Amino acid sequence: MKKKRFRFQWGAFLMLVIYGGLFFALFIRIFYIQSTGEVKGQQLEAKAAALYGKEAILTAERGKILDRNGGVIAEDTLSYRLVAVVNPEATTDKDKPRHVVNPEKTAKVLAKYISMEESEIYKILTRKLSDGRTPYQVEFGVAGRSISHEVMTAIKNEKLEGITFTSDSTRYYPNGPFASHLIGFALKEEQEDSTFKTVGKMGLEYTYNKELTGKDGSIQYESDIFGYLLPNSEKMVTPAENGDDIYLTIDKTIQNFLEESMTNVYKKYNPESMVAVVADPKTGEILAMSQRPTFDPDTREGLDSWNNNVIESVIEPGSTMKTFTLATAIETDNWAPNAYYQSGSYTLLGDTIRDHNQRGWGPITYLQGFQRSSNTAMANLLEYIGNDTLIDYFKKFGFGEKTGIDLPGEASGTLLTNWPINYVTTSYGQGSTATPIQLVQAMTAIANDGEMMQPYVINKIVDSSTGKVIKEEKPTVKGNPISKETAKQVREILASTVTSEVGTAKSFAIEGYDVAGKTGTAYIPRSDGSGRYLTGNKNNYLYSFLGLAPADDPQLIVYVAVKQPKLEATELGSAPVSEVFTSVMQNSLKYLNINPEDVAEAQKTTLKDYVGDNADNVQVELMNQGVTPVIIGDGGKIIDQYPEKDLSITKGSIVFLKTEGSITLPSFSNWSLRNLLVYKMMSGLTIEIVGEGYVESQSVSANTIVDQGSPIVVQLRTPEEIYSSPPIEETFIDGEELPQD
């Protein structure tokens, strides 16, 4: 048997070596990859995460701004984002296109609804990627965001191919122009990473942007290339942290009273500008704050100035500053209300200042001077007070420095002391400057028995997720510039400017409530830097009122200033100011359940026992009750009174208060015989009475100091004699006075 000869197959061996080597190399490679997890220096796990890992942003809500009672002032609300699908591959049915088929038409229609030019919209719709490919979809930046439901619906009704919307959020201000310069506004802005974030641009939105801004969260998960969640993959959720909520001291109801009144007066008088503040004098809380012109924070329509004029702009406040000159005089024991001075003009080292009617009212008492808002009364008072003392007290009242209110950009104002005349003009509110918020702060000392409260607008900051109070403001006493007794006396004198026949604030009276306050008519500096003031007519002044109510226990302070209103020929500058003040004060007091007095009962008053009291204080108290006090003597301690205590008298009656010292004769004009006999008995003067009825004339002029031996003849006439006589022709002075303040 013949054996087969073995033949070596070189081809097979070569194939074995080649494929075996390849298999071995592949084995080594797999082993290496499994052990190191790297390919060409790159981590496969990271590559897989990049390929399959997905992340979705959980947008945080911006914190709300709310009033003291939780009413919403600013919040995030649902809006829409405009998206255009531009890639033809999105369309699977040519009869139902899902992408933008006609960019020209689409751009033209969209330009009607969003703030972007038609040409810019077209460029976006036809934009290519860097590699020349068409993107799947495009957006339109800020112009395509924060779209309202109404606009979204209108665009949908246009039935544009490829146009769709996604949910978005926008900052919403539900009250329209509402404390707009205080609240400010926030806008969506594109960030460096191409995301959008709501950013505060003005007011509290800007100041507290950090607290209001939340922190976005995210969802991380794994999906296949089609976007489906992979089996057994885990979702990693980082929750969004919403911004903190800010509660203000503002009361929406009182703010609405103020906004409505300000709008009505602004339309009626068309002034250059207006500001107003309502505050709680017990705490310093700002309950309302507004200015004109104003703007709508949703649309920014009307936004001409970014300044909050209540705190950022200074004014020469005018006669409202006389309140604090009066308080200084009383506190330093330099107030003699029944002492006389010569009104009209006052000259110091060649500089002359005048009363607002240019000629004054002759010799009058300091009390009448204050009630008439006499500049020369303050100038004469300053001689007793002293320049340095006045400035020292004005600083105690907070003038010349910031109040420290929790708002940015506050101005400090300036107490002008360069020349001697500066002290005089400062005493009645010209030359030196202040902010409205400084006037309100100073007035809290008058209202709050000498304690001056720092104004503030932030009540508390609250974690919106947990409800935990992060920060809470408390009332802060800034100082005690005057005593409780002085504050009470100032309030009574301020009330007399409303109740007195010669008072400049009669138009600020509110039925059922006792109002105390001071009017102001201030010159306005020219804008040319000349240092001179606007003149020419009554429309070139800043009219204001700084008032409180009820006068005996003030619950509210209201400051109103109207610059350059367009007044009718017969109107006084106080008209637009009083329209705002009386409306806001009365409505706010009623809203706060501060009950008005019984008006019927108020027609009568019951006298107290005034013997032993100070005549100056009692005098003002009686005037505010509608009674005419007549002081017999120098003033000071009362030793007798008529009528006696516990007797009820009607308004308009005369009450006699006898003190020690020399007697200054009053005007007996229109006094009844009965009152004249009472005065003769209590004074002990030698008075010869001729006739019956009511006093027509007296032989010794009013305001003359008389003694017991001076003969005085008083002529009386009956009503029949008076009305049967021919009328006396009245004489009028040609020319118009400056409006009384």
Side-chain angles (χ1 to χ4, degrees), residues 51 98 134 142-143 221 291 324 327 351 528 549 630 658 692 721:
L51 181 61
R98 299 179 61 185
T134 300
V142 174
Y221 60 94
Q291 67 187 63
F324 310 107
D351 292 310
D528 57 11
V630 174
K658 186 174 183 180
E692 295 182 353
E721 292 174 322

Side-chain angles (χ1 to χ4, degrees), residues 62 65 171 173 183-189 191 197-210 212-213 306:
R62 188 173 176 84
I65 299 178
R171 201 63 169 164
Y173 303 90
I183 306 303
F185 63 91
L187 294 175
K188 277 277 179 67
E189 282 191 348
Q191 307 300 300
K197 181 175 289 186
T198 303
V199 179
K201 307 301 292 182
M202 176 187 174
L204 293 173
E205 290 275 28
Y206 172 78
T207 306
Y208 291 91
N209 186 64
K210 181 180 178 182
L212 289 165
T213 300
W306 290 51

Side-chain angles (χ1 to χ4, degrees), residues 58-126:
L58 298 176
T59 304
E61 285 190 9
R62 188 173 176 84
K64 297 177 181 178
I65 299 178
L66 309 110
D67 85 331
R68 63 190 301 112
N69 300 311
V72 174
I73 297 174
E75 66 177 345
D76 280 359
T77 188
L78 177 65
S79 64
Y80 299 90
R81 187 167 79 248
L82 178 64
V83 177
V85 178
V86 295
N87 196 314
E89 293 180 5
T91 298
T92 57
D93 183 351
K94 64 179 181 178
D95 294 329
K96 296 179 181 179
R98 299 179 61 185
H99 73 286
V100 175
V101 177
N102 189 336
E104 293 87 351
K105 174 190 172 184
T106 304
K108 185 175 182 179
V109 173
L110 290 180
K112 297 189 300 182
Y113 297 100
I114 66 174
S115 300
M116 184 176 283
E117 295 293 330
E118 180 181 336
S119 59
E120 288 299 314
I121 297 174
Y122 180 78
K123 286 180 182 178
I124 292 174
L125 292 174
T126 56

Side-chain angles (χ1 to χ4, degrees), residues 275-278 315 317 320 436 439-440 542 544-547 557-561:
V275 297
V277 186
V278 182
I315 55 172
T320 53
L439 291 167
V440 170
L542 175 71
S544 61
F545 187 72
L546 179 60
I557 292 173
V558 176
Y559 175 75
V560 181

Side-chain angles (χ1 to χ4, degrees), residues 56-257:
I57 301 299
L58 298 176
T59 304
E61 285 190 9
R62 188 173 176 84
K64 297 177 181 178
I65 299 178
L66 309 110
D67 85 331
R68 63 190 301 112
N69 300 311
V72 174
I73 297 174
E75 66 177 345
D76 280 359
T77 188
L78 177 65
S79 64
Y80 299 90
R81 187 167 79 248
L82 178 64
V83 177
V85 178
V86 295
N87 196 314
E89 293 180 5
T91 298
T92 57
D93 183 351
K94 64 179 181 178
D95 294 329
K96 296 179 181 179
R98 299 179 61 185
H99 73 286
V100 175
V101 177
N102 189 336
E104 293 87 351
K105 174 190 172 184
T106 304
K108 185 175 182 179
V109 173
L110 290 180
K112 297 189 300 182
Y113 297 100
I114 66 174
S115 300
M116 184 176 283
E117 295 293 330
E118 180 181 336
S119 59
E120 288 299 314
I121 297 174
Y122 180 78
K123 286 180 182 178
I124 292 174
L125 292 174
T126 56
R127 181 184 298 160
K128 300 293 183 181
L129 298 173
S130 58
D131 58 6
R133 292 184 299 115
T134 300
Y136 183 79
Q137 64 186 40
V138 294
E139 297 187 24
F140 302 89
V142 174
R145 286 179 167 266
S146 302
I147 292 175
S148 68
H149 184 270
E150 291 77 13
V151 173
M152 182 270 292
T153 302
I155 294 175
K156 278 190 171 182
N157 289 338
E158 297 282 357
K159 301 188 184 304
L160 298 171
E161 298 94 344
I163 297 300
T164 185
F165 296 88
T166 61
S167 296
D168 198 2
S169 66
T170 188
R171 201 63 169 164
Y172 177 53
Y173 303 90
N175 307 294
F178 178 97
S180 301
H181 283 82
L182 170 64
I183 306 303
F185 63 91
L187 294 175
K188 277 277 179 67
E189 282 191 348
E190 189 170 4
Q191 307 300 300
E192 292 182 358
D193 60 359
S194 298
T195 61
F196 283 80
K197 181 175 289 186
T198 303
V199 179
K201 307 301 292 182
M202 176 187 174
L204 293 173
E205 290 275 28
Y206 172 78
T207 306
Y208 291 91
N209 186 64
K210 181 180 178 182
E211 289 81 358
L212 289 165
T213 300
K215 186 177 180 181
D216 290 343
S218 64
I219 299 178
Q220 294 179 335
Y221 60 94
E222 291 182 348
S223 68
D224 60 20
I225 60 174
F226 299 104
Y228 294 104
L229 189 67
L230 291 174
N232 302 321
S233 66
E234 293 184 2
K235 287 194 296 184
M236 302 293 292
V237 179
T238 303
E241 297 177 16
N242 294 333
D244 298 329
D245 292 336
I246 297 181
Y247 287 77
L248 306 183
T249 60
I250 296 293
D251 188 301
K252 278 184 69 174
T253 301
I254 296 177
Q255 182 72 38
N256 282 325
F257 289 152

Side-chain angles (χ1 to χ4, degrees), residues 387-459:
N387 292 346
D388 293 339
T389 301
L390 179 73
I391 297 301
D392 181 52
Y393 270 86
F394 274 21
K395 288 180 178 178
K396 289 180 180 179
F397 277 112
F399 295 108
E401 64 179 29
K402 299 175 182 180
T403 65
I405 189 172
D406 43 3
L407 293 171
E410 184 180 8
S412 59
T414 303
L415 292 174
L416 201 60
T417 58
N418 296 335
W419 306 98
I421 195 65
N422 295 150
Y423 294 92
V424 177
T425 59
T426 293
S427 73
Y428 60 83
Q430 291 289 163
S432 293
T433 59
T435 61
I437 201 65
Q438 285 176 329
L439 291 167
V440 170
Q441 175 180 263
M443 196 62 159
T444 62
I446 307 299
N448 203 36
D449 288 340
E451 274 195 345
M452 187 169 72
M453 308 304 295
Q454 183 179 51
Y456 64 103
V457 297
I458 303 299
N459 186 353

Side-chain angles (χ1 to χ4, degrees), residues 611-623:
V611 175
D613 292 346
N614 184 284
D616 295 340
N617 297 343
V618 172
Q619 176 186 17
V620 178
E621 181 181 332
L622 290 172
M623 290 175 66

